[in-house]
């Protein structure tokens, strides 16, 4: 099917949230504020919901607290999809682990097209419709 023939329900916005990052005693330790990232992802989801309410929004999550899950799913902001916990990161494997987390996006086979947006991206909603037109122009691009 061509891009023009794809239904909006066959397309989805996606983001990823995972907790914790780092190791429990290894050489790499990063702090992670799940509340801050959950609020950032909720802000992104709310903006997408306001700008383009007809397309689903899915968040691949692992290891989140119940509070973070509620922040993300309250008001139908994101549909949460649990994915397995990833291996702990070390300085030697950190890059591979980070990119490996995004590989779970290819498991979203119930959609023909997925537009991945980092969870800390900030989209400013507007009332003029310009943001929707810009997002639509991305969806209209032919897949690579």
């Amino acid at each position: 099917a061509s891009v023009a023939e794809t239904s909006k329900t066959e397309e989805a916005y996606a983001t990823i949230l995972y907790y914790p990052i780092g190791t429990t005693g290894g050489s790499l330790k990063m702090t992670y504020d799940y509340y801050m990232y959950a609020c950032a992802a909720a802000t992104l989801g709310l903006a997408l919901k306001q700008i383009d309410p007809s397309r689903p929004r899915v968040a691949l999550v692992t290891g989140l607290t119940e509070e973070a899950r509620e922040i993300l799913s309250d008001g139908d902001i994101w549909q949460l999809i649990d994915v397995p916990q990833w291996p702990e990161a070390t300085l030697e494997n950190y890059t591979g682990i980070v990119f490996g987390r995004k590989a779970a996006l290819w498991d979203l086979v119930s959609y023909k097209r997925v537009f991945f947006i980092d969870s800390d991206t900030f989209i400013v909603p507007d009332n003029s419709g310009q943001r929707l037109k810009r997002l639509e122009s991305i969806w209209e691009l032919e897949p690579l």
Side-chain angles (χ1 to χ4, degrees):
S2 72
V3 173
E5 296 169 349
T6 303
S7 164
K8 288 185 179 185
T9 58
E10 296 174 310
E11 301 170 329
Y13 296 102
T15 196
I16 298 174
L17 283 101
Y18 45 88
Y19 181 83
I21 302 176
T23 65
T24 56
S27 58
L28 178 65
K29 185 66 177 170
M30 298 178 71
T31 59
Y32 188 92
D33 184 343
Y34 75 88
Y35 182 79
M36 178 186 69
Y37 276 95
C39 289
T43 302
L44 170 64
L46 285 170
L48 290 170
K49 183 177 179 179
Q50 179 184 5
I51 295 167
D52 191 1
S54 60
R55 285 192 178 89
R57 294 162 309 284
V58 296
L60 304 179
V61 300
T62 187
L64 297 183
T65 65
E66 281 305 311
E67 182 182 15
R69 295 176 73 84
E70 288 175 21
I71 291 168
L72 295 168
S73 60
D74 188 37
D76 193 34
I77 299 172
W78 292 101
Q79 173 195 350
L80 303 184
I81 298 175
D82 290 292
V83 294
Q85 184 73 31
W86 293 280
E88 291 185 344
T90 66
L91 287 176
E92 293 77 31
N93 73 354
Y94 179 72
T95 303
I97 298 270
V98 170
F99 290 114
R101 289 181 174 129
K102 293 179 179 160
L105 291 164
W106 273 260
D107 293 333
L108 295 173
V109 295
S110 57
Y111 302 102
K112 290 186 176 180
R113 300 180 74 190
V114 174
F115 181 179
F116 169 72
I117 304 175
D118 276 323
S119 62
D120 56 357
T121 301
F122 190 73
I123 298 175
V124 180
D126 69 344
N127 292 327
S128 69
Q130 290 302 309
R131 301 281 189 285
L132 178 58
K133 287 179 186 174
R134 290 180 184 138
L135 285 173
E136 286 294 338
S137 68
I138 292 171
W139 286 111
E140 290 170 2
L141 296 172
E142 290 293 329
L144 298 176

